[in-house]
Structures are given as C-alpha cells and as structure tokens.
Amino acid sequence: VPHPHRSLEGLIEFLDSELEKTLMDPYSRLGRRFSPEGKVVLDAACGCGTKSMQLANMGTKLTIGVDGSQSGIKMATALAKHYEFENTKFILGFLEDLEELLAKEGIDHVDYIHNIGNIHHVSDWKQVLGIFYRVLAPGGYTFISWVEPSVRWSSFNIKNKISYALG
C-alpha cells in the first residue's frame, strides 16, 4: 500500500487538516515560546515542506525551506503553490552549505530555525549547530528535535553534548 503522504494529493489531504489545527491553535505543534508571525523562518531540512506550510500559515514574513532532496523541494514548491503561500521559498542544498545558500538568496539572518528529525543525518552536527548560530538573528530562536532510536539515557547524553557545544 503506498504511503498517503508520498503523493501531492496525499500531502494536500493531510495538510488540509493540519493547517486548520494550526490556525485554531498556532503553537500546538511548533512550540509555545516563539511566535513566527512576521518573522523570517528557516525550516532546515524541510523535506516535502509540511512544517514549512504550517509555519507559512502562521503569518511568517518569509518561510525558507532548505533540503538536500530534489524531490522534496519539488513537492514543497508544489504545496506552496497549491496553498497560494507567497511567503515561501524553497532551496535545494545541504545544511552544511546553509550560509552560502542563504547568501545567494540575499538573506544573512533568520529569526527562527526549525529542524525536526534531521540533525543526526548531517556530516558534522557541531558544524551545523555553529552554522545555525551564525545565521540566527540576535534574539532569535532555534527548535531542534532529532530521532533517537535508543531510549532516555542516550537522548539525555545527546542533549548534554549539544548544550555543551553551544556553550
């Protein structure tokens, strides 16, 4: 059975309900500490753009999605067109090259970085955290979540390593 989110139609069906939830409770899935409204937001490793659509739907000035998957960027672009989000931009590339990718678009800083389930895929997570730090505007906010196959103890250790690396 094909996964329903693998087609544009399946993603649209999924997002129709998710976007409605986001409008009813904007911070339900994206954290309650930071409002992206009117901000420049980076969805780092955006995949097919489902979180990018939710962020754009929350009134961002600009939502930028970056991903290394050409098919993901193509799907994200199609979703933004379907939902008529003019406040989105999708860039093909890797997080290790983020500063250069943003500079090519004339963007030197973002107000919010959203990175879900990807940091363990990069070649050097400490390097990527440093890049996030450099592109984040003063007073900005970063939300990082990762897939941790083992339970609690390893997750705790990784959190401590990231906190230590950030100072």
Side-chain angles (χ1 to χ4, degrees):
V1 177
H3 192 284
H5 298 173
R6 301 245 188 254
S7 70
L8 180 60
E9 294 78 20
L11 276 172
I12 289 170
E13 183 178 326
F14 166 75
L15 273 173
D16 281 344
S17 67
E18 289 299 305
L19 292 176
E20 187 175 317
K21 288 180 202 172
T22 302
L23 282 175
M24 289 187 292
D25 183 4
Y27 310 109
S28 62
R29 298 199 180 247
L30 300 173
R32 298 184 186 275
R33 296 181 185 202
F34 182 86
S35 170
E37 187 174 353
K39 307 285 192 215
V40 177
V41 171
L42 172 67
D43 187 0
C46 67
C48 60
T50 55
K51 294 296 182 201
S52 301
M53 298 306 120
Q54 290 176 312
L55 289 159
N57 195 47
M58 294 167 72
T60 62
K61 178 180 178 182
L62 177 64
T63 297
I64 307 155
V66 174
D67 199 89
S69 165
Q70 188 170 12
S71 60
I73 293 296
K74 183 178 177 182
M75 186 73 79
T77 302
L79 285 172
K81 183 177 180 181
H82 172 80
Y83 287 106
E84 299 178 355
F85 286 134
E86 295 180 11
N87 60 336
T88 58
K89 175 179 275 305
F90 295 97
I91 303 169
L92 179 63
F94 297 105
L95 297 182
E96 292 86 348
D97 303 318
L98 186 60
E99 289 170 293
E100 293 83 15
L101 295 169
L102 292 176
K104 285 181 187 176
E105 299 296 327
I107 300 164
D108 56 355
H109 288 93
V110 298
D111 300 303
Y112 178 70
I113 299 173
H114 195 77
N115 178 257
I116 301 295
N118 177 270
I119 200 76
H120 61 283
H121 288 294
V122 300
S123 59
D124 182 348
W125 61 268
K126 289 181 184 179
Q127 174 198 11
V128 171
L129 288 177
I131 292 168
F132 285 177
Y133 178 79
R134 289 190 296 277
V135 302
L136 192 64
Y141 188 81
T142 302
F143 182 83
I144 299 173
S145 177
W146 59 89
V147 175
E148 174 54 41
S150 60
V151 182
R152 299 185 208 268
W153 182 248
S154 292
S155 179
F156 175 78
N157 285 335
I158 289 172
K159 287 178 188 174
N160 282 343
K161 287 179 184 178
I162 289 174
S163 296
Y164 179 79
L166 290 175

